[in-house]
Amino acid sequence: MIKTDMIIVGAGPTGLFTVFEAGLLKLKCHLIDALPQPGGQCSEIYPKKPIYDIPGFPEVLAGDLVNNLMEQIKSFEPGFTLGERAETIDKQEDGSFIVTTNKGTKHHAPVVVIAGGLGSFEPRKPPIPSINEFEDKGVAYMIKEPEIYRDKKVVIAGGGDSALDWAIYLADIASEVSLVHRRQEFRGALDSVEKVEELSKIGKIKMITNAEVVDLKGKDNLEAVVIRHKDTALGEEIKEVDNFIPLFGLSPKLGPIGDWGLEIEKNAIKVNNSYDYQTNIPGVYAIGDVNTYPGKLKLILCGFHEAAIMCQSAYQRIFPDKKYVMKYTTVSGVNGFDGSKKEAKKEVVKSIS
């Protein structure tokens, strides 16, 4: 049995930053995540994709953000149960909780924080009969390491931001990039659409609109895709490729958490946003993209804010007889559980005689 002050379900950016905010309150944390490494979507889906709306970082790669968060919480010595999914929650007579994973690992704490992003994800696969045969043999539903596409012929399917952004990114890596979309218009950011059009004009990206990939061909690995045009005069064409990347988004699912007795609205957990992001079960909180409330914005920076507010409430629940007086880190510094201390240098005031 792993005992801690706070169980955090989800080791994405919001879950990781929660460790820091809890650490300032001297609360120990243990994180559970079904993925084999911390970072959530930032590590698993788009580690090399730049993020532009993190305060203080004009631009930061998702993977680098995770690395920075891991460094920030290092002194608070969080525990991790990775590669296991939080399966059940059982409330104890004293009001604490035991969370058990799908592999039987039990965790005990007075507070549970669900920071599981949008939950678990399954790619939205195009209706191509042979697609399962070529998974990991030329077909991928997300890009983790762009370098594997260097000097390769790549076909990307999709019309949203991910398809546009990765087509732009791979244009300087792959030997050939084709972007296939079943409509004429794209639904991504305007500047991305304009960038793709510019790259198309100079031959860096081949845009194939009003068409879709309908079949895949190859022996041991993918060798070609079959593209069907809506214009019947063009019919079908077979295009030789090394890789096919259909980017039609991911379907989020709450998974077992949906059976925990929480109040759910449109696949998200309802919380009391006017106070502390607590769910309908006292002692269980939900922060980040997994929660919902009036005015909710699914942004990483909003998850950071929610983590800070939530930890204050969690502290009062764990220590109802103690009064915590918040101090700025610029004043009190940061004291790690490992004995380390970070603090601003004190100014030396000299008296003038």
Side-chain angles (χ1 to χ4, degrees):
M1 179 86 70
I2 297 171
K3 294 188 177 182
T4 187
D5 295 319
M6 184 181 293
I7 297 169
I8 303 174
V9 180
T14 296
L16 294 176
F17 186 68
T18 300
V19 175
F20 178 80
E21 289 296 322
L24 295 178
L25 301 172
K26 307 300 181 187
L27 301 178
K28 289 280 290 184
C29 296
H30 193 95
L31 300 95
I32 305 171
D33 202 296
L35 297 176
Q37 72 283 320
Q41 296 179 61
C42 288
S43 295
E44 183 70 8
I45 301 176
Y46 49 86
K48 300 296 183 180
K49 192 171 182 179
I51 302 174
Y52 302 104
D53 59 356
I54 302 299
F57 290 92
E59 177 181 335
V60 60
L61 295 181
D64 290 342
L65 174 63
V66 172
N67 292 336
N68 291 342
L69 287 166
M70 289 293 289
E71 181 64 27
Q72 186 177 27
I73 66 176
K74 184 178 179 180
S75 64
F76 292 126
E77 301 179 326
F80 289 91
T81 298
L82 300 174
E84 299 184 31
R85 183 181 64 248
E87 197 80 11
T88 62
I89 185 170
D90 296 294
K91 192 168 186 176
Q92 307 302 295
E93 291 184 2
D94 63 356
S96 63
F97 302 90
I98 292 179
V99 174
T100 306
T101 71
N102 61 316
K103 295 185 179 180
T105 308
K106 294 183 180 295
H107 309 75
H108 183 218
V111 166
V112 175
V113 181
I114 302 170
L118 293 173
S120 58
F121 292 86
E122 294 179 5
R124 293 191 178 101
K125 301 180 182 182
I128 301 173
S130 58
I131 196 164
N132 293 338
E133 300 174 20
F134 293 102
E135 290 176 356
D136 298 322
K137 297 179 181 179
V139 171
Y141 304 105
M142 58 187 72
I143 298 175
K144 298 179 184 178
E145 181 48 68
E147 276 299 314
I148 68 174
Y149 301 104
R150 182 166 294 280
D151 301 325
K152 299 292 181 65
K153 295 179 180 179
V154 179
V155 168
I156 295 175
D161 285 315
S162 290
L164 292 166
D165 291 347
W166 281 119
I168 294 168
Y169 193 96
L170 293 181
D172 291 325
I173 295 176
S175 62
E176 180 183 298
V177 175
S178 299
L179 179 58
V180 181
H181 183 40
R182 61 180 178 269
R183 297 189 180 89
Q184 187 72 37
E185 304 80 17
F186 290 88
R187 59 184 186 281
L190 180 59
D191 58 339
S192 295
V193 176
E194 292 176 344
K195 182 65 175 176
V196 167
E197 290 176 342
E198 291 174 8
L199 291 171
S200 175
K201 290 177 182 177
I202 61 175
K204 298 278 284 185
I205 294 176
K206 182 177 182 181
M207 292 177 62
I208 306 173
T209 56
N210 288 323
E212 56 186 330
V213 176
V214 294
D215 199 7
L216 309 177
K217 295 184 178 295
K219 293 181 180 179
D220 296 329
N221 294 289
L222 180 67
E223 297 174 5
V225 299
V226 179
I227 300 173
R228 178 179 295 160
H229 296 268
K230 288 186 178 180
D231 184 345
T232 55
L234 296 175
E236 292 185 350
E237 66 171 298
I238 297 178
K239 186 174 185 59
E240 291 186 3
V241 298
D242 298 300
N243 301 92
F244 174 52
I245 311 170
L247 297 174
F248 297 117
L250 301 168
S251 298
K253 297 182 183 298
L254 283 176
I257 292 175
D259 300 322
W260 285 10
L262 300 164
E263 190 173 355
I264 307 296
E265 182 179 284
K266 294 181 179 178
N267 208 43
I269 301 170
K270 289 187 68 174
V271 295
N272 177 1
N273 68 303
S274 65
Y275 180 49
D276 58 5
Y277 308 102
Q278 194 160 196
T279 69
N280 59 303
I281 301 176
V284 178
Y285 300 82
I287 57 176
D289 288 356
V290 76
N291 75 12
T292 185
Y293 53 82
K296 169 69 180 182
L297 292 177
K298 293 184 183 293
L299 298 172
I300 292 175
L301 63 91
C302 292
F304 290 167
H305 160 78
E306 293 166 9
I309 299 297
M310 178 278 300
C311 283
Q312 299 292 318
S313 174
Y315 180 88
Q316 292 302 320
R317 178 176 177 81
I318 297 170
F319 302 111
D321 299 326
K322 291 184 180 181
K323 184 177 181 180
Y324 174 75
V325 179
M326 191 190 81
K327 294 181 180 180
Y328 299 112
T329 56
T330 50
V331 175
S332 62
V334 176
N335 295 289
F337 297 153
D338 59 358
S340 63
K341 182 176 179 63
K342 296 178 182 178
E343 60 181 338
K345 293 182 178 179
K346 306 297 182 184
E347 292 185 8
V348 177
V349 179
K350 295 182 178 179
S351 58
I352 300 175
S353 56

